[in-house]
Amino acid sequence: MDQPDYSLEDAARARGSLIIAGVDEVGRGPLAGPVTAAAVILTTECIPEGLNDSKKLSPKKRQAVERAIFDNGVVAIAHATVEEIDSLNILRASHLAMERAVAALDPQPDYLLIDGNMIPNGLQIPAEAVVKGDGKSLSIAAASIVAKEARDRIMVDLAQQFPGYGWEKNAGYPSKQHRTALEELGVTPHHRRSFKPVHKILYQE
């Protein structure tokens, strides 16, 4: 399938669901910054043009589609902090961010399409996990775009407070510049201490 479509949402509708939300998170792999999730409810009448997996869109296109998602859908964004990532582990923290995003939706959905192969434990709403969901479901694709844009903006902001790590370009992922800066400038309060490259620098003998 080249493009996400509305077939998973239509199937849920056919089974009796009325309000369906797509849920996705971004930021499991970075060494710094929060993990961010978004939950988005779209209606068939108002699907933004050009909606696709966030990884397949240019930054400019992604920003334009993001605006259209906010204009046409119901959107909620939530995060789990670096402290939560370190105390819970990244998988649980990303699920926590998803749970928070779903809880913030108004109206509350009665069915969830969740990117990945697991359904977060804390969700009380019927849900299905969709592997590579941002390439299959328009609602998940919308959530992937919103989450990515929200997290990228946080990292650009943090990059101004902590220059040298290149967060405005690498969003906290372990690029060469980021790894070199870690060695030379050290660990910031926004680094994930439970992640190996950071842990190694903190506790090297």
Side-chain angles (χ1 to χ4, degrees):
M1 189 188 290
D2 294 336
Q3 292 269 117
D5 61 27
Y6 209 68
S7 56
L8 288 168
E9 290 86 342
D10 283 337
R13 283 241 163 95
R15 294 191 298 269
S17 297
L18 297 173
I19 303 173
I20 296 134
V23 187
D24 200 2
E25 51 72 31
V26 67
R28 281 196 198 186
L31 304 178
V35 60
T36 298
V40 176
I41 299 165
L42 295 175
T43 60
T44 25
E45 304 75 52
C46 294
I47 289 170
E49 246 177 84
L51 194 43
N52 204 339
D53 174 355
S54 65
K55 296 182 283 297
K56 293 183 179 166
L57 299 174
S58 69
K60 198 174 169 190
K61 180 73 178 152
R62 213 168 39 233
Q63 283 159 15
V65 176
E66 183 207 25
R67 280 194 297 274
I69 293 165
F70 274 95
D71 289 345
N72 295 294
V74 179
V75 178
I77 300 165
H79 313 275
T81 64
V82 166
E83 292 76 18
E84 287 169 327
I85 291 166
D86 285 338
S87 66
L88 295 170
N89 77 43
I90 184 60
L91 176 65
R92 181 68 199 106
S94 61
H95 282 183
L96 182 62
M98 285 181 170
E99 290 161 13
R100 286 172 174 162
V102 170
L105 281 173
D106 184 18
Q108 276 287 284
D110 56 13
Y111 197 76
L112 303 171
L113 297 169
I114 294 176
D115 185 58
N117 61 358
M118 290 175 78
I119 294 168
N121 288 335
L123 292 173
Q124 307 299 318
I125 297 165
E128 74 182 277
V130 185
V131 175
K132 294 194 165 63
D134 42 9
K136 295 174 184 170
S137 153
L138 284 167
S139 302
I140 297 176
S144 81
I145 289 166
V146 169
K148 177 161 175 50
E149 287 297 311
R151 190 178 182 282
D152 282 357
R153 279 193 281 270
I154 290 170
M155 296 312 292
V156 167
D157 188 43
L158 289 177
Q160 317 210 334
Q161 299 169 48
F162 295 88
Y165 297 89
W167 292 343
E168 70 285 357
K169 295 196 293 283
N170 62 43
Y173 283 87
S175 67
K176 190 167 185 290
Q177 181 189 2
H178 190 179
R179 284 173 175 272
T180 304
L182 253 181
E183 296 281 354
E184 291 172 359
L185 304 173
V187 176
T188 72
H190 299 285
H191 277 103
R192 302 171 179 181
R193 281 150 172 70
S194 56
F195 278 44
K196 215 180 194 164
V198 181
H199 193 272
K200 234 163 84 182
I201 285 166
L202 279 174
Y203 300 102
Q204 59 195 352
E205 291 175 4

